[in-house]
């Protein structure tokens, strides 16, 4: 799901009260963003609805990037209970993305 400022509150903050929401802050001109996106999508897909993905194009939504202190992209933030509980910057390899998602799921289930 691509988020716009008006729907971010519902798609991320409210939804993260029920399950972890991963937000991928990216831009169309960012090569590492394009390498990370399919990895995130695949790993989140493997979790069959236990985690959701929201994508934020920082060129279109700079106010969201500013609000969440995005200083480099790709920037991935995990939300649970309406707040950021974990994050990373850069294009990680699949095993690291898997570990990140596993940690987020574990942290939010305890």
């Amino acid at each position: 799901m691509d988020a716009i400022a008006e729907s971010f509150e519902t798609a991320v903050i409210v939804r993260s009260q029920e399950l972890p929401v991963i937000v991928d802050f990216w831009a169309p001109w960012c090569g590492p963003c394009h390498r990370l996106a399919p990895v995130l999508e695949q790993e989140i897909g493997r979790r069959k609805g236990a985690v959701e993905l929201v994508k934020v194009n920082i060129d279109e939504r700079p106010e969201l990037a500013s609000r969440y202190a995005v200083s480099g992209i790709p920037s991935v933030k995990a939300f649970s209970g309406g707040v950021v509980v974990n994050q990373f910057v850069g294009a990680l390899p699949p095993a690291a993305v898997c570990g990140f998602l596993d940690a987020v799921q574990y942290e939010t289930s305890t």
Side-chain angles (χ1 to χ4, degrees):
M1 167 184 200
D2 287 318
I4 57 172
E6 298 79 29
S7 68
F8 188 87
E9 188 74 23
T10 301
V12 177
I13 306 304
V14 173
R15 185 67 171 145
S16 74
Q17 302 293 334
E18 299 168 19
L19 60 110
V21 177
I22 307 302
V23 180
D24 177 16
F25 290 91
W26 70 286
W29 47 264
C30 170
C33 296
H34 291 288
R35 287 192 300 277
L36 178 64
V39 174
L40 270 174
E41 291 164 6
Q42 180 178 13
E43 290 301 328
I44 288 173
R46 287 183 177 160
R47 284 160 173 74
K48 303 200 186 296
V51 178
E52 288 188 7
L53 176 64
V54 172
K55 299 175 72 67
V56 175
N57 179 335
I58 66 165
D59 288 343
E60 294 176 356
R61 303 295 170 214
E63 69 282 3
L64 289 174
S66 179
R67 183 189 321 171
Y68 291 100
V70 174
S71 58
I73 55 173
S75 182
V76 176
K77 299 181 185 288
F79 286 76
S80 181
V83 298
V84 176
V85 295
N86 206 341
Q87 60 190 323
F88 69 86
V89 177
L92 299 181
V97 171
C98 184
F100 172 80
L101 294 171
D102 287 346
V104 168
Q105 283 185 274
Y106 177 77
E107 290 169 8
T108 60
S109 68
T110 57

